[in-house]
Amino acid sequence: MTYRFEFRPYRRPFRQTIKTSYGVWKYREGIILKFTDEQGRSGFGEVAPLPWFGTETQAQAVAFCAQVPHQLSASNGFAILPTMPACKFGFEIALSNLSRDIHCGELEPHRCSALLPAGKGALSGWAALWAMGHRTFKWKIGVAPVSVELAWLHQLMKQLPLGAQLRLDANGGLDELSAHHWLDQCDRLGHRIEFIEQPLPPDRFIDLLKLAHRYQTPIALDESVTTLDQLKTHYFRGWRGIYVVKAAISGSPGRLKQFCADYPIDIVISSVFETDIGRQALIDLAVELSVLMPYEPQRVMGMGTQQWLPNDGLDDPDWEALWQRLDRIA
Ligand SMILES: [Mg+2]
């Protein structure tokens, strides 16, 4: 069996720039991969790097794709270095999609969390998302002084209907004192805060463990466990809290599934602003993981990101149409 390989880069401006504790993010760049087999079946994949999480850059991913032969046979496979986790994910998905013929439906809003605007914008931003059916919201913190953000949090919790759950994401941007302030306040809110994500930077693992033991509000690791190897390391060092897995940048989805089958963990599959191709791969993965390890409570996916991206056709579930449109953009 031989395959034809093609790729097309994309660049999507966010509708609003995204503010995180890393700074401002204006564009989502990535690459769509396409394999075509001898029967004319195609398999699409997506490379969606996130260099500030330690992945390859878009330029490195493009350079990698450019040296992959246009004609490949099953026997002349190619190796992808562990330093290129986004490529590893994209190529594995593309090849597995060659034999995927059923397109799953769209994820209902209550099964994925929706990203709120950062800062005070959350106060006016949640209602439209609630009306769309979202019940879990994610709010980036650590972008303004802690006293200011805690005041916004209290306003937000007064506004949110009962039944709403809030995930806080500090992106590793808090100092230890601020982390204590946040967790103390979250504990006082009962169980309305589902978890706080990466309050301290990845190099503060022992302090993260201490926080997890001291407070009732669960803590999730995200930046600490970007790749599967990092996830394994943290598991074996004793992390029994939540793992946020940005599957599109964590490397091989097959190896992730294998690890989760061997060691059931409390996991949230999360988006890094993929097109429909990457998004569908994450939904498939979450469904497979929920069968593999029926962890209770099953956490909704970190996927409500589409309202941040333009109507440029890259969320089209018809992937051939998506691919063709990309050609016109490039
Ligand atoms: Mg996060």
Side-chain angles (χ1 to χ4, degrees), residues 120-325:
K120 203 178 180 182
L123 297 173
S124 52
W126 67 268
L129 296 163
W130 176 273
M132 285 165 63
H134 290 287
R135 294 297 175 262
T136 305
F137 302 97
K138 175 160 164 168
W139 189 38
K140 296 273 184 190
I141 61 168
V143 290
V146 60
S147 57
V148 174
E149 289 190 330
L150 283 174
W152 289 335
L153 174 73
H154 286 288
Q155 285 183 56
L156 182 60
M157 295 319 288
K158 272 188 207 150
Q159 292 181 10
L160 284 179
L162 281 176
Q165 286 236 301
L166 188 62
R167 298 173 170 182
L168 302 174
D169 188 0
N171 284 118
L174 302 181
D175 57 34
E176 201 167 337
L177 187 62
S178 311
H180 283 291
H181 280 309
W182 273 104
L183 282 156
D184 183 56
Q185 292 299 312
C186 290
D187 276 7
R188 287 166 200 261
L189 289 165
H191 298 290
R192 299 187 72 198
I193 306 298
E194 186 185 1
F195 56 76
I196 179 163
E197 208 169 303
Q198 198 76 43
L200 301 176
D203 61 1
R204 302 284 300 280
F205 179 64
I206 299 298
D207 295 314
L208 284 160
L209 267 182
K210 284 184 190 159
L211 289 177
H213 288 137
R214 177 157 169 183
Y215 294 98
Q216 287 172 354
T217 303
I219 295 177
L221 297 184
D222 178 1
E223 281 84 347
S224 291
V225 294
T226 300
T227 64
L228 178 58
D229 288 336
Q230 289 165 345
L231 189 158
K232 288 180 180 176
T233 304
H234 281 78
Y235 182 83
F236 293 120
R237 286 180 77 191
W239 185 257
R240 294 297 178 268
I242 300 162
Y243 293 82
V244 174
V245 174
K246 293 173 154 55
I249 59 168
S250 74
S252 158
R255 285 183 58 219
L256 174 64
K257 275 182 264 181
Q258 187 55 54
F259 181 78
C260 292
D262 295 342
Y263 305 96
I265 55 173
D266 192 351
I267 193 170
V268 177
I269 296 291
S270 192
S271 158
V272 287
F273 300 96
E274 302 82 0
T275 70
D276 191 71
I277 295 169
R279 181 182 167 78
Q280 196 61 57
L282 300 199
I283 295 170
D284 291 351
L285 181 63
V287 170
E288 287 174 75
L289 289 178
S290 68
V291 175
L292 269 181
M293 30 171 234
Y295 214 100
E296 289 297 333
Q298 286 206 349
R299 304 200 182 265
V300 306
M301 298 180 72
M303 295 287 280
T305 52
Q306 281 165 311
Q307 74 274 12
W308 291 82
L309 290 160
N311 274 325
D312 54 5
L314 300 190
D315 297 316
D316 193 335
D318 178 345
W319 295 344
E320 187 58 44
L322 184 161
W323 173 257
Q324 294 303 334
R325 199 174 271 116

Side-chain angles (χ1 to χ4, degrees), residues 10-151:
Y10 67 77
R11 177 179 165 102
R12 316 175 78 185
F14 287 114
R15 288 186 185 180
Q16 264 179 281
T17 54
I18 295 191
K19 286 184 210 144
T20 74
S21 61
Y22 300 103
V24 170
W25 192 11
K26 288 186 182 162
Y27 300 95
R28 200 331 148 212
E29 289 184 303
I31 308 167
I32 301 301
L33 312 177
K34 184 182 186 184
F35 284 96
T36 310
D37 70 12
E38 288 162 353
Q39 280 90 49
R41 287 180 305 188
S42 43
F44 291 95
E46 176 171 0
V47 180
L50 208 56
W52 56 93
F53 270 65
T55 76
E56 66 270 51
T57 62
Q58 168 80 354
Q60 287 166 333
V62 168
F64 177 80
C65 291
Q67 53 82 51
V68 173
H70 294 300
Q71 295 289 338
L72 284 159
S73 70
S75 58
N76 74 347
F78 48 90
I80 304 179
L81 291 172
T83 50
M84 311 202 84
C87 285
K88 237 180 162 57
F89 175 87
F91 279 83
E92 193 172 311
I93 290 299
L95 289 168
S96 71
N97 276 341
L98 277 166
S99 52
R100 178 185 194 276
D101 46 14
I102 301 162
H103 203 93
C104 296
E106 183 49 41
L107 202 61
E108 299 111 329
H110 71 271
R111 295 185 57 204
C112 56
S113 76
L115 183 61
L116 293 171
K120 203 178 180 182
L123 297 173
S124 52
W126 67 268
L129 296 163
W130 176 273
M132 285 165 63
H134 290 287
R135 294 297 175 262
T136 305
F137 302 97
K138 175 160 164 168
W139 189 38
K140 296 273 184 190
I141 61 168
V143 290
V146 60
S147 57
V148 174
E149 289 190 330
L150 283 174

